[in-house]
Amino acid sequence: WIKYDLSLSKNESHYSDPTNYSFQFVQENSSFTGTVTADTDPREIPLMATIDSAKTGFANINVRDYTRDEQQSSLQFNVTLPFNLYDITTGYLKVGGKWKGLNRWNDENDHGVNGLQYGNGSGPNPTLADLDSAYPDWGIKELVRQNGDLPITAFLTDYSRDNFLNGEYPLGFVANRDMLKQAADYLATTSRWLTYAVNSRGRDYDGHEEYQALYAMAEFNFMGDFISFTPGVRWEKDYSKYHGQRYREVTINNTAAAPADLGLVESVRQNEFLLPMIHLKVQPTDWLKIRLARTETLTRPDYMQYTPISSINSYASYVRAANTSLKPAHSTNWDASVSIFENNIGLFTVAGFYKTIKDLIFQVTINYRNGITLPDGLLLPDGTDKYLNDDGSYASNWLKNASPQIDTYINNEEPAIYKGVEIDWQTHFWYLPSVFSGLILNVNYTYITSDIGKKIYYVVNGPIIPGSRPPRYSQILTDSLRHSRMPDQPTHIANITIGYDLGGFSARLSYLYQTDKTAFISTQPILDQYTGPYSRLDLTLQQKINENFQVFANFNNLNNTRDISYRGNTLINPTYMEYYGFTTDVGIRYKL
């Protein structure tokens, strides 16, 4: 007469990357000639490079270590009580709850040397002189005397490959990793090796999160399965407390120095929601089902978007800041579907959906001017005594007499509208003669339209500044709305799977296609970013030997598709390409 379940869980994860090496070579002058226009194919750009290996000098060595830990505990329960009210309605009442606690720690350290390409005009860079004394057979002293720096030719290998980026782009220089690692490991034992305070402290954080939820729902069935009505409500509450830091970057003689205005920052967030839902299912016949639903759902921001880390560069021209006041995006969803099931047709479904999304989270760029109001959660020092530095002093006013570009995240003020229709057909041609009876077909198509008015900040000329000669205009930050598609939403999505089953043999050939998507909405269309259309072909084969034993093979990305990104809405020449290539998995599966 009652069902219940209770679950407890605790898990921990630990990530450690103790020696992450990076090396940089720089050619500072005359490395590129030519003009890039909107019609320039990206494959033409490497041909415009005038790279001189003798002038591409060893510049920076960095060795970073990362340690990340997470601890998560959770408790949830569900209780179900079936009922039968005088044969008028049957169904159940169900209540449940969940609690989840999460702790995070992140610690990063950065060590190394930089500016190795400087100081060689009037004599060897002292760090390179140390390296020469350790490895005299490398000929560092003579190379520096000839070239003015330590050229990449000292480290080049003869590694090459013809299929790099499908053979469409040159591979470029390949350095000897062992030699570079020797150089780093040796310099780490000398006084030249520095600790970079910004990277070693500025990206550290720790935090605690708690999530609580309770729900109650019921299902009422009338006239057997003819009508099924399911109302419910869910209460959710989330809490987070994170520690990070804010700091001002300092650079002295092209070398990163200890940051200024370094101080620990704490942020506390708390959100609470009441989310009702209603489902209605009508089944007038065995072959027809009609479903209607209204639900409310949440999309929470990534924790790094509100972990309190903010910084301003040494020129006071750029600020990156998390927004500690970010709220989850709140969606109200209306869904309707009609399904037909018949032996010869299979399962055919048509569904429509309409969503209104409040507080959608966006990355924004604000070109700051004195006197404007910034989002509340940026935690940028403003000259008041509430921003205490580690040394007990108070942080200076970062924005006084400065007009930096500020990159952060906001909850969009205008709701987004997301709607469309989905068609799905799943069938088995069992009625065809002979071997054709094993054919299977699944087809899914979705059409989506969306609209969002994103808040855009930009600068316009204001009144003339009194007494200025020649007349100069004041600058005023204003905002407006730019309407666009929602990010990451294609207009068309199609999936087609053709399969065949015969005895213990099974094969599936699947094809996925989706149109381009908006990746980032900028201040004007020409600066918007898109991902290009995507298509992919996969094949899966399985052979069942007996009830427990099976062999399989998966052939992924048969058409060698790639991810492509564009800037501007013309989608002519890509700005970014990522190749995955064709992969194969072959395996044996045994079920105990």
Side-chain angles (χ1 to χ4, degrees):
W1 63 275
I2 191 171
K3 298 178 181 179
Y4 58 90
D5 63 80
L6 174 70
S7 63
L8 299 167
S9 69
K10 182 176 179 61
N11 61 73
E12 298 185 10
S13 63
H14 175 75
Y15 171 83
S16 177
D17 184 358
T19 50
N20 193 299
Y21 291 86
S22 67
F23 307 90
Q24 185 178 26
F25 293 83
V26 172
Q27 181 180 335
E28 294 193 326
N29 297 306
S30 304
S31 59
F32 189 83
T33 182
T35 302
V36 178
T37 68
D39 297 323
T40 303
D41 189 286
R43 288 168 290 192
E44 300 174 20
I45 296 176
L47 303 178
M48 300 179 187
T50 55
I51 299 174
D52 186 341
S53 58
K55 296 180 180 178
T56 303
F58 201 7
N60 303 316
I61 303 174
N62 288 87
V63 181
R64 291 185 178 181
D65 66 80
Y66 305 86
T67 303
R68 299 189 184 103
D69 291 280
E70 285 193 8
Q71 296 177 347
Q72 182 171 293
S73 302
S74 66
L75 163 68
Q76 75 175 37
F77 70 93
N78 300 282
V79 178
T80 304
L81 179 65
F83 62 80
N84 187 333
L85 300 179
Y86 307 105
D87 295 329
I88 299 175
T89 177
T90 61
Y92 62 83
L93 299 174
K94 189 173 183 179
V95 297
K98 182 176 183 178
W99 173 88
K100 181 175 70 174
L102 174 66
N103 294 312
R104 285 192 175 102
W105 297 270
N106 183 74
D107 180 52
E108 300 184 19
N109 294 284
D110 186 12
H111 306 274
V113 293
N114 62 12
L116 295 180
Q117 77 274 34
Y118 299 118
N120 299 309
S122 59
N125 184 298
T127 305
L128 296 181
D130 283 354
L131 201 58
D132 179 66
S133 65
Y135 302 103
D137 55 323
W138 289 5
I140 294 176
K141 184 177 181 180
E142 181 62 20
L143 287 169
V144 171
R145 186 187 68 79
Q146 294 176 0
N147 301 280
D149 54 21
L150 179 57
I152 196 172
T153 51
F155 300 92
L156 290 181
T157 70
D158 58 359
Y159 175 84
S160 64
R161 53 184 287 192
D162 297 329
N163 62 344
F164 176 72
L165 296 181
N166 252 19
E168 297 180 356
Y169 296 87
L171 178 60
F173 294 138
V174 179
N176 187 312
R177 293 181 301 172
D178 293 333
M179 290 181 66
L180 293 172
K181 185 174 181 296
Q182 277 183 272
D185 292 345
Y186 168 73
L187 291 175
T189 65
T190 71
S191 59
R192 311 287 182 190
W193 199 250
L194 301 177
T195 298
Y196 296 114
V198 167
N199 291 339
S200 298
R201 166 75 188 273
R203 292 178 175 85
D204 295 349
Y205 60 83
D206 66 85
H208 173 73
E209 297 185 11
E210 287 191 15
Y211 168 82
Q212 305 171 60
L214 295 172
Y215 75 92
M217 60 178 292
E219 181 176 293
F220 300 93
N221 298 307
F222 300 94
M223 303 170 61
D225 292 330
F226 180 74
I227 297 177
S228 179
F229 176 61
T230 308
V233 64
R234 186 171 81 254
W235 169 82
E236 292 193 12
K237 182 178 181 180
D238 64 83
Y239 166 88
S240 65
K241 180 168 72 173
Y242 275 85
H243 297 103
Q245 51 283 316
R246 42 110 185 105
Y247 56 89
R248 180 192 293 272
E249 295 180 0
V250 177
T251 302
I252 301 175
N253 296 327
N254 298 302
T255 301
D261 289 341
L262 178 64
L264 184 70
V265 182
E266 179 181 277
S267 69
V268 177
R269 296 171 59 255
Q270 186 167 293
N271 296 284
E272 191 170 346
F273 296 91
L274 195 64
L275 307 170
M277 68 93 175
I278 299 175
H279 290 264
L280 177 65
K281 182 182 71 174
V282 181
Q283 187 173 355
T285 69
D286 292 338
W287 53 269
L288 178 65
K289 287 185 180 179
I290 302 171
R291 293 182 175 89
L292 304 172
R294 183 196 181 278
T295 59
E296 296 186 23
T297 54
L298 303 174
T299 302
R300 293 181 176 82
D302 184 280
Y303 70 95
M304 286 304 297
Q305 294 175 336
Y306 55 78
T307 296
I309 297 177
S310 57
S311 63
I312 186 169
N313 66 1
S314 56
Y315 306 103
S317 62
Y318 179 75
V319 170
R320 176 172 291 278
N323 186 347
T324 60
S325 298
L326 279 182
K327 298 180 291 185
H330 185 178
S331 176
T332 301
N333 317 299
W334 298 85
D335 298 273
S337 69
V338 177
S339 299
I340 298 173
F341 178 80
E342 198 271 335
N343 282 341
N344 290 335
I345 296 176
L347 178 61
F348 182 81
T349 302
V350 177
F353 50 88
Y354 184 96
K355 304 174 186 293
T356 303
I357 306 172
K358 297 188 300 182
D359 295 322
L360 195 65
I361 298 166
F362 274 114
Q363 180 181 344
V364 296
T365 296
I366 303 173
N367 293 308
Y368 179 80
R369 295 296 183 271
N370 285 332
I372 75 163
T373 301
L374 293 173
D376 293 334
L378 302 194
L379 302 183
L380 301 180
D382 57 3
T384 64
D385 59 3
K386 62 181 179 180
Y387 294 98
L388 188 66
N389 297 328
D390 282 353
D391 60 6
S393 63
Y394 291 104
S396 59
N397 188 343
W398 285 9
L399 304 179
K400 184 179 181 180
N401 301 322
S403 302
Q405 172 185 316
I406 301 175
D407 282 349
T408 186
Y409 302 91
I410 63 168
N411 290 111
N412 202 61
E413 294 180 359
E414 293 292 316
I417 304 298
Y418 178 89
K419 56 187 177 181
V421 61
E422 179 180 4
I423 301 173
D424 186 81
W425 183 32
Q426 305 174 36
T427 189
H428 180 192
F429 297 98
W430 57 269
Y431 48 86
L432 293 180
S434 187
V435 295
F436 297 106
S437 62
L439 287 173
I440 291 173
L441 177 65
N442 295 334
V443 179
N444 181 277
Y445 168 74
T446 304
Y447 172 72
I448 301 169
T449 63
S450 61
D451 178 77
I452 177 71
K454 181 182 179 183
K455 191 171 185 178
I456 300 295
Y457 297 88
Y458 60 97
V459 177
V460 297
N461 287 335
I464 294 176
I465 300 175
S468 60
R469 295 288 186 272
R472 289 186 295 115
Y473 290 92
S474 60
Q475 292 186 312
I476 300 173
L477 186 76
T478 186
D479 60 76
S480 65
L481 294 179
R482 261 210 64 206
H483 282 270
S484 174
R485 289 185 295 171
M486 281 178 57
D488 301 320
Q489 304 303 324
T491 302
H492 305 278
I493 303 174
N495 292 276
I496 302 174
T497 300
I498 300 174
Y500 186 79
D501 293 333
L502 180 63
F505 175 75
S506 176
R508 298 288 187 274
L509 178 66
S510 60
Y511 175 74
L512 164 67
Y513 174 77
Q514 64 182 24
T515 52
D516 62 272
K517 300 181 293 184
T518 300
F520 181 76
I521 304 171
S522 187
T523 54
Q524 49 188 313
I526 197 172
L527 298 177
D528 288 351
Q529 297 176 24
Y530 296 85
T531 59
Y534 183 86
S535 62
R536 180 186 175 107
L537 199 62
D538 300 315
L539 176 65
T540 298
L541 303 175
Q542 296 181 9
Q543 178 63 56
K544 188 176 182 181
I545 306 302
N546 56 41
E547 290 298 323
N548 303 97
F549 190 55
Q550 184 185 73
V551 295
F552 65 89
N554 300 320
F555 304 93
N556 307 306
N557 198 14
L558 291 170
N559 55 334
N560 195 26
T561 193
R562 58 193 179 179
D563 285 349
I564 303 177
S565 298
Y566 299 88
R567 175 164 294 200
N569 54 13
T570 56
L571 303 185
I572 297 176
N573 289 322
T575 56
Y576 175 87
M577 290 186 289
E578 184 169 353
Y579 290 79
Y580 298 95
F582 165 74
T583 62
T584 304
D585 303 319
V586 179
I588 298 173
R589 182 180 294 113
Y590 186 81
K591 297 180 180 179
L592 298 176

